[in-house]
Structure formats: C-alpha cells, structure tokens
C-alpha cells in the first residue's frame, strides 16, 4: 500500500527528457522493460518509415514514441481522476481510502505498460514492412502463428488462432517475452492484465485486476454501482474496455502522441492541437442500461476534440499522403521485395518472423544494408532509388476514385503522355475517417441541464455537427515508373 501512495505522489526512479513532452518519469519495472533487447530494437525503427526523405526532420523512432504514448496515457487517466475528485469535492467531502488508492495505482500502472508496449511488434519501416507483397506472403504462411508461440500457451491472450498476422499480434508476443523477464511481482502487477488491454487480445483478467476494477467502479459510479444494475462479474470487462480505449480508441494516447510528435519533427503546424485543454475536459462515462463504460467529454471540451480530429485529418492529407512521400513508400515496398529475392535474406527474415530469439534483428538498419548491397550490383533497381533518393515522377493527383476509375485514369494519362500504360504507377491512401460518426459515438458528451444542473450522456453527433462533415476519402497519386530492370537470379547476387 505504501508503494501505491509513493507512486501516486510521483516517487519515480528515472527521468527521460523528451523533446515533445519534456521530462517523462519512469518506475523501476518500466526501466527494466525499456532496457530489454526487444524494446531497445525500437530505437532502430523509424516512426514514419522513410518520411525523412521528404521531411528531413522526421527521423524520430518508435522507441521514443512508445515512451511518449505511455506518458500521454498516464496523463489521460490521471486528469480524469483529478477532475472527478474536484467535482466531488464541490458537493461532498471525498477522502480516498487505501483500497481506492491501490486500485487507481494498479490501473494507472497497467495503462502505462500497455501504452509502452502497444507498438513493440513493429518491424522494419513500421507499416510499410507488412504492406510489401513478399512480406505479406511470408506473414500469411500457414503455421506462422503457432511457430511464433512455440512452447508457450497463446490461448491466454488469443482464444482463437488468427488467420493472418499483423504487427499487433507481434506486439502481444513481444510483450509476453518482455514482461516475463521483468519483476512484475514486486511492482504488484500481472502481465495478463497489461496484455489484455492491447489490441487483438481477449483475456480473463487476474483476480487482482477484478478486485481493483470493482473498487474503482464503486468509487467512480457511486449510486449506480450501489444500485446493482450491473453484476459484479461484468465490472472487470467494463473497466478493461475503458483502459483499452485509452491505449487504442478514437481519442487515444497513441494518436495524441504521434500527431504532436510527427508534426514537431516534420516542422509542420497542421498537426497541432491543445493537448492540455483536451485532457482537462475528459471524464469517465458510464451507462448502466447498455452497459457501457468509456471516455466522455464535457461540452466545453468539444472545441478541443474538434481540433484534435481536424488536425489528424490534415496530417493525413498534407503529410502522410504527400505525393512524394507516397511515391517513396511505393519504392520502399518494391525494394523490400527485391531484398527477399535473395535466398539467404529470405530465409533469415523468415526465421526472424517465426522465432523471438531473432526478431530483434528486424530493424531499419538491416534493410538499409541490404538495399545498399543490391544497389551496388544493380544500379537500375528500386533499392538504388531508395539509397540515392531517386523519386518517382509525379503525374497527377485525384481524390475519391474507385478501382475502375483509377485504372481508367491511368490509361488516359498513358495515352496523353504517349506512355506504356504499364509504366503508370498509382499509390492510394484512404483517409481513415470512414464511419467517423459511429466511431465517435462511442465517446459520450456530458451535457448539463441548466435548471437541475444534473448531467446526462448524449451521443457526440447529437451535440456537435462538426463530425458529420467527415466521410470516406481516398487520395490517389499517379506516377511514371522509374527505369528499373529486374534483378538477376539470387545466385548471381553472391
């Protein structure tokens, strides 16, 4: 109990200085996580693949992003606790019991580790790695998942074997190995609870989590908890869902950090929003009739939420979907495919994707060296383009075209430019705002009655018309294919 009180008072063991958030405190068990080789590998994985070829400052790593997400997740949870205590103090005297302090401490530390490890399964060049054709084929190999978990009972985290692996599945696998080597018992935590708030998992929380969840629910929900409309057996799942939404939801620590960090390192201002104002207006929300427990926002904070969403929208359009950036992404994927044409590289990457003893080898550095090796022998290769920053020639940009319209426009461009239609390259990015109204309806708005002063929860689209402005959107860039010759057979690369 003394540990919980000390930790809540800020008795940290180490301070990391971050260019975006300033000083970020760490506890002893978190330092052990960060020092693990599987986490240290994130130092050598760029947050935004090769975006630095367009925005030179964007060289920041998944390592610092992960620590930043942990910091933002902590701020989100504690700001909601602080707001709840302030509002309770206005109407009644509220003194936290030791069991309530212990519950808050346990949930806060679980959130911190979930945030810290949420992206630990990313491989070289982050998202572009898994989008390369030959990597996708490798990760879809039958038995890959069972090979990855050989000797370990994966059913604690995944009741069913997934058909196709994504980086989130690797994050769970990494988290299992890392947390197994950390002194979580001394920290009073359980690995299954941390991994349970990460994506793709479905766990039975520990008895400790269940006890703290019920204490937390009784403390937060007050009379609703006493009324017993939600059974005790259902409370842990509701609380786990709340914690999961902080790690990955529509307003989550991951998005908040990468928008601020990517904007900062790219030296653009369109990704800016007031994080302090947003956090100060977040609240715990629950509805015993659904039942539901998650994030709520005050009416006063709707402006900050709108800024958050609009900044994210603009970052996708102006930075992530930049015409030169998407062109380099295409070249990167083709260069990765080239590397895998070498039998030795193919076998090694295959091994790294199936055996956690070697997974730490999959970093950007590995592929940069492989690209250089290919480029030296094949000056007309995609690898040469990446190493020497030879970009695709941009022809045109169109929005909201379907597949047939993209094909038609490619043929039209080829005809107008007297090109072979096969030499027109298309790169599309789908704006991640489809069903935005439904997604944000998972966040409730606290509406205050001007007469009774009582508060009620309403769907966000019933209160703000802003979110109805967003719909599906696709940006497609058209390029001319570079003069690249097919590589020689693998045995000629030796």
């Amino acid at each position: 109990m003394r540990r919980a009180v000390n930790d809540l008072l800020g008795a940290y063991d180490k301070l990391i200085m971050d260019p975006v958030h300033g000083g970020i405190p760490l506890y002893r068990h978190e330092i052990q996580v960060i020092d693990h080789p599987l986490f240290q590998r994130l130092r050598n994985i760029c947050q935004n693949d090769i975006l630095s070829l367009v925005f030179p400052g964007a060289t920041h790593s998944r390592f610092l992003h992960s620590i930043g997400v942990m910091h933002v997740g902590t701020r989100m949870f504690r700001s909601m606790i602080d707001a709840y205590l302030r509002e309770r103090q206005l109407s009644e005297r509220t003194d936290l019991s030791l069991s309530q302090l212990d519950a808050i401490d346990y949930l806060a530390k679980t959130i911190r580790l979930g945030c810290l490890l949420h992206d630990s399964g990313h491989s070289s060049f982050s998202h572009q790695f898994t989008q390369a054709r030959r990597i996708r084929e490798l990760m879809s190999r039958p038995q890959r998942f069972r090979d990855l978990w050989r000797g370990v009972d994966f059913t604690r985290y995944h009741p069913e074997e997934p058909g196709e692996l994504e980086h989130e599945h690797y994050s769970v696998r990494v988290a299992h190995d890392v947390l197994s080597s950390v002194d979580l018992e001394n920290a009073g935590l359980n690995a299954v609870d941390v991994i349970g708030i990460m994506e793709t998992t479905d766990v039975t929380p520990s008895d400790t989590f269940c006890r703290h969840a019920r204490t937390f629910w009784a403390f937060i929900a007050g009379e609703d908890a006493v009324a017993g409309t939600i059974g005790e057996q259902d409370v842990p799942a509701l609380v786990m869902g709340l914690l999961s939404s902080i790690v990955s939801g529509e307003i989550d620590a991951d998005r908040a950090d990468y928008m601020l960090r990517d904007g900062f390192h790219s030296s653009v201002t369109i990704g800016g929003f007031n994080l302090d104002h947003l956090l100060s207006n977040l609240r715990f929300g629950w509805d015993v009739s659904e039942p539901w427990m998650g994030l709520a926002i005050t009416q006063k904070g709707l402006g900050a939420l709108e800024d958050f969403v609009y900044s994210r929208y603009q970052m996708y359009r102006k930075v992530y979907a930049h015409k030169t950036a998407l062109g380099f992404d295409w070249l990167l994927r083709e260069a990765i495919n080239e590397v895998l044409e070498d039998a030795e590289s193919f076998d090694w990457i295959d091994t790294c994707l199936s055996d956690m003893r070697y997974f730490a080898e999959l970093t950007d550095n590995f592929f940069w060296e492989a690209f250089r090796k290919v480029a030296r022998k094949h000056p007309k290769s995609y690898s040469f383009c990446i190493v020497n920053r030879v970009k695709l020639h941009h022809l045109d940009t169109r929005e909201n075209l379907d597949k047939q319209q993209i094909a038609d426009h490619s043929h039209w461009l080829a005809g107008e430019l007297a090109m072979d239609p096969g030499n027109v390259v298309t790169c599309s990015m789908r704006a991640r705002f489809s069903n935005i109204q439904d997604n944000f309806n998972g966040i409730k708005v606290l509406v205050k009655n001007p007469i009774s002063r009582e508060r009620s929860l309403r769907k966000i689209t019933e209160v703000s018309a802003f979110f109805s402005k967003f719909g599906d959107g696709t940006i497609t860039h058209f390029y001319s294919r570079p003069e690249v010759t097919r590589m020689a057979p693998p045995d000629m690369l030796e």
Side-chain angles (χ1 to χ4, degrees):
M1 199 70 67
R2 180 181 299 173
R3 180 187 64 249
V5 175
N6 286 341
D7 291 345
L8 285 170
L9 290 174
Y12 57 86
D13 296 284
K14 190 173 184 177
L15 193 70
I16 283 183
M17 297 309 297
D18 173 53
V20 175
H21 302 295
I24 298 178
L26 300 172
Y27 300 127
R28 184 173 294 107
H29 62 279
E30 294 164 353
I31 298 170
Q32 293 172 358
V33 168
I34 291 171
D35 285 342
H36 194 284
L38 284 172
F39 193 89
Q40 284 291 312
R41 65 182 280 278
L42 297 178
R43 288 181 182 272
N44 298 309
I45 296 176
C46 234
Q47 169 73 11
N48 298 115
D49 51 78
I50 53 173
L51 187 65
S52 60
L53 294 183
V54 182
F55 300 92
T59 58
H60 51 298
S61 68
R62 287 273 163 187
F63 177 83
L64 200 50
H65 164 64
S66 297
I67 295 173
V69 174
M70 178 191 70
H71 179 67
V72 174
T74 304
R75 289 192 61 194
M76 289 177 69
F77 184 70
R78 290 195 173 183
S79 68
M80 289 188 286
I81 292 287
D82 291 344
Y84 179 80
L85 290 175
R86 283 197 312 272
E87 291 167 1
R88 283 280 295 271
Q89 289 282 4
L90 293 176
S91 58
E92 58 184 278
R93 180 174 177 79
T94 304
D95 292 321
L96 289 172
S97 67
L98 290 179
S99 63
Q100 290 169 341
L101 277 172
D102 205 22
I104 293 171
D105 177 68
Y106 188 90
L107 299 182
K109 285 185 174 178
T110 299
I111 289 171
R112 285 174 66 84
L113 285 181
C115 288
L116 187 61
L117 292 163
H118 82 288
D119 266 353
S120 57
H122 266 296
S123 295
S124 313
F125 304 116
S126 298
H127 293 285
Q128 294 306 315
F129 179 79
T130 54
Q131 292 181 30
R133 173 181 51 81
R134 301 206 67 186
I135 294 296
R136 190 77 264 155
E137 292 170 357
L138 269 179
M139 292 181 70
S140 302
R141 177 177 64 78
Q143 294 296 313
R144 171 78 64 192
F145 183 78
R146 289 187 176 272
D147 288 346
L148 189 64
W149 286 93
R150 186 181 293 112
V152 182
D153 180 16
F154 64 80
T155 59
R156 286 180 291 175
Y157 314 125
H158 303 287
E160 296 181 0
E161 183 177 346
E164 189 172 358
L165 294 185
E166 302 290 346
H167 77 269
E168 290 89 352
H169 295 107
Y170 280 90
S171 293
V172 173
R173 185 65 182 90
V174 168
H176 171 81
D177 270 19
V178 172
L179 295 177
S180 296
S181 69
V182 172
D183 187 10
L184 284 186
E185 183 177 352
N186 188 55
L189 298 173
N190 289 276
V192 69
D193 301 332
V194 175
I195 295 176
I197 65 173
M198 295 170 64
E199 290 186 273
T200 75
T201 61
D202 183 7
V203 309
T204 299
S206 69
D207 291 339
T208 303
F209 183 94
C210 293
R211 173 168 51 86
H212 288 317
R214 293 183 183 112
T215 299
F216 178 76
W217 168 249
F219 167 62
I220 293 295
E223 293 181 0
D224 284 339
V226 175
T229 50
I230 295 179
E232 280 198 358
Q233 71 279 4
D234 299 321
V235 169
L238 286 177
V239 175
M240 185 158 277
L242 168 69
L243 305 195
S244 297
S245 68
I246 293 175
V247 178
S248 86
E250 282 306 315
I251 311 177
D252 61 16
D254 180 32
R255 286 184 173 93
D257 181 80
Y258 78 59
M259 283 168 55
L260 292 174
R261 193 171 300 278
D262 293 352
F264 175 83
H265 287 285
S266 301
S267 299
V268 299
T269 58
I270 54 177
F273 63 95
N274 193 325
L275 180 62
D276 292 335
H277 185 40
L278 179 63
L279 296 186
S280 68
N281 285 284
L282 285 181
R283 300 292 187 270
F284 297 114
W286 63 90
D287 187 337
V288 294
S289 63
E290 292 190 28
W292 170 84
M293 188 176 193
L295 302 182
I297 192 161
T298 66
Q299 281 184 289
K300 186 175 68 173
L302 277 176
L305 180 58
E306 291 169 359
D307 286 344
F308 175 84
V309 174
Y310 185 69
S311 294
R312 182 175 155 217
Y313 175 78
Q314 288 291 71
M315 283 291 288
Y316 273 101
R317 294 182 60 85
K318 305 300 184 184
V319 178
Y320 308 135
H322 188 283
K323 65 180 188 296
T324 310
L326 281 192
F328 275 122
D329 284 345
W330 185 89
L331 287 169
L332 175 62
R333 294 191 295 271
E334 293 301 319
I336 291 173
N337 290 333
E338 283 180 342
V339 169
L340 267 73
E341 290 188 26
D342 172 53
E344 183 179 350
S345 295
F346 180 93
D347 290 341
W348 178 241
I349 294 168
D350 186 30
T351 298
C352 292
L353 288 172
S354 293
D355 194 327
M356 294 307 294
R357 292 175 298 176
Y358 308 110
F359 184 69
E361 300 288 335
L362 285 179
T363 64
D364 294 359
N365 295 340
F366 171 84
F367 276 94
W368 277 114
E369 288 304 315
F371 295 155
R372 292 186 182 98
K373 179 180 177 181
V374 173
R376 283 194 297 270
K377 299 196 174 192
H378 299 275
K380 288 190 174 182
S381 63
Y382 296 113
S383 295
F384 183 91
C385 293
I386 290 296
V387 171
N388 294 280
R389 199 183 180 276
V390 179
K391 62 183 180 179
L392 294 179
H393 177 62
H394 181 253
L395 302 176
D396 197 11
T397 297
R398 288 288 186 270
E399 295 193 20
N400 301 324
L401 301 182
D402 59 29
K403 288 185 178 180
Q404 186 57 53
Q405 289 172 324
I406 291 174
D408 292 343
H409 193 64
S410 294
H411 279 81
W412 179 83
L413 282 173
E416 291 295 308
L417 298 171
M419 294 172 54
D420 182 339
N423 287 334
V424 177
V425 172
T426 63
C427 296
S428 297
M429 176 171 280
R430 186 178 183 82
R432 301 183 182 185
F433 293 93
S434 58
N435 301 321
I436 192 168
Q437 296 183 43
D438 293 335
N439 290 336
F440 272 93
N441 275 334
I443 303 162
K444 310 296 185 184
V445 182
L446 281 172
V447 178
K448 185 182 293 185
N449 186 306
I451 309 255
S452 65
R453 311 300 291 176
E454 292 183 356
R455 292 186 174 188
S456 60
L457 290 172
R458 292 176 60 184
K459 287 185 176 182
I460 201 163
T461 46
E462 295 176 358
V463 181
S464 171
F466 174 82
F467 300 94
S468 61
K469 299 176 183 178
F470 294 92
D472 296 346
T474 302
I475 298 174
T476 302
H477 298 301
F478 297 81
Y479 312 86
S480 59
R481 185 184 296 270
E483 293 184 7
V484 172
T485 57
R486 181 166 176 79
M487 288 172 51
D491 57 349
M492 295 182 64
L493 295 176
E494 302 301 324

